[in-house]
Amino acid sequence: LARGRGPSTKLVSAIEAHLRDGDLGGAIALSGAAPGAVARAARRILLEALTTPARLEAAREVALLVEVPRLWARAGGFAVLANLATLFGLLGTVTSVFVPIGCVPVDARSRAVMLAKQISEGLTCTWFGLFVAASALTCVLVFRSRIEAWEATLRAESKAVVNLAITYRERLRLGDS
């Protein structure tokens, strides 16, 4: 998850410094060199900086349509793991209590010992399955809250880049041209 986010704390302020000076090429190069979703979105927006505000907003929406699914793509694995762990715990419980008919000992004490071992094994399987499922669900909740925060940051910073491009539109130039 952290790999998909990338640094974005000072990126918008650095882009603003370039745009304030009218250096659109430098701002595009800066956003192209920086890693992360905010940098990729800023680059898409800045490539449309010399167009209308409607095109800037459309570039922002396209960037969000590309970057938001990338953030959410890595979160589904833990939900699948939680569901599978619950099912495997239940499967272990059911199969541990199952006794083939030909293997049942004749005396009562041997049957009681064997049944106690099977119940113990079944409860161990249940406990392990529930433990893994609860751990995975906790990870899902933590990752979802982080992804929602990163998505909100991405939306806010991409909107800030659009606003900066509109604000400094009169000063913008591409390199020496």
Side-chain angles (χ1 to χ4, degrees):
L1 289 175
R3 205 176 21 163
R5 180 174 183 234
S8 66
T9 54
K10 297 186 180 183
L11 181 65
V12 175
S13 61
I15 288 173
E16 181 179 13
H18 282 283
L19 294 180
R20 192 178 323 114
D21 295 338
D23 185 15
L24 179 60
I28 291 172
L30 176 69
S31 63
V38 173
R40 290 188 297 267
R43 181 165 165 48
R44 281 183 184 266
I45 294 166
L46 290 173
L47 289 173
E48 299 289 331
L50 298 175
T51 62
T52 65
R55 297 257 329 244
L56 283 170
E57 197 59 44
R60 176 181 178 259
E61 291 301 320
V62 168
L64 290 175
L65 285 174
V66 170
E67 296 301 328
V68 169
R70 283 184 181 175
L71 290 174
W72 285 101
R74 297 181 180 106
F78 285 102
V80 170
L81 178 65
N83 290 331
L84 288 177
T86 305
L87 292 175
F88 280 127
L90 179 62
L91 179 67
T93 303
V94 171
T95 57
S96 66
V97 177
F98 175 71
V99 178
I101 295 173
C103 296
V104 177
V106 180
D107 62 339
R109 182 172 183 173
S110 297
R111 282 189 297 210
V113 169
M114 188 172 66
L115 183 62
K117 286 181 181 179
Q118 290 171 335
I119 289 173
S120 173
E121 183 181 328
L123 290 176
T124 302
C125 290
T126 303
W127 177 86
F128 186 73
L130 291 176
F131 174 74
V132 172
S135 300
L137 285 175
T138 302
C139 289
V140 166
L141 293 176
V142 169
F143 287 156
R144 281 188 180 170
S145 67
R146 283 188 179 180
I147 291 171
E148 287 170 359
W150 291 346
E151 182 179 349
T153 300
L154 175 64
R155 290 183 184 280
E157 291 186 7
S158 65
K159 185 63 177 173
V161 172
V162 168
N163 291 339
L164 289 173
I166 291 171
T167 301
Y168 297 113
R169 172 186 305 229
E170 300 301 320
R171 300 180 187 181
L172 297 181
R173 66 188 186 293
L174 281 172
D176 295 331
S177 60

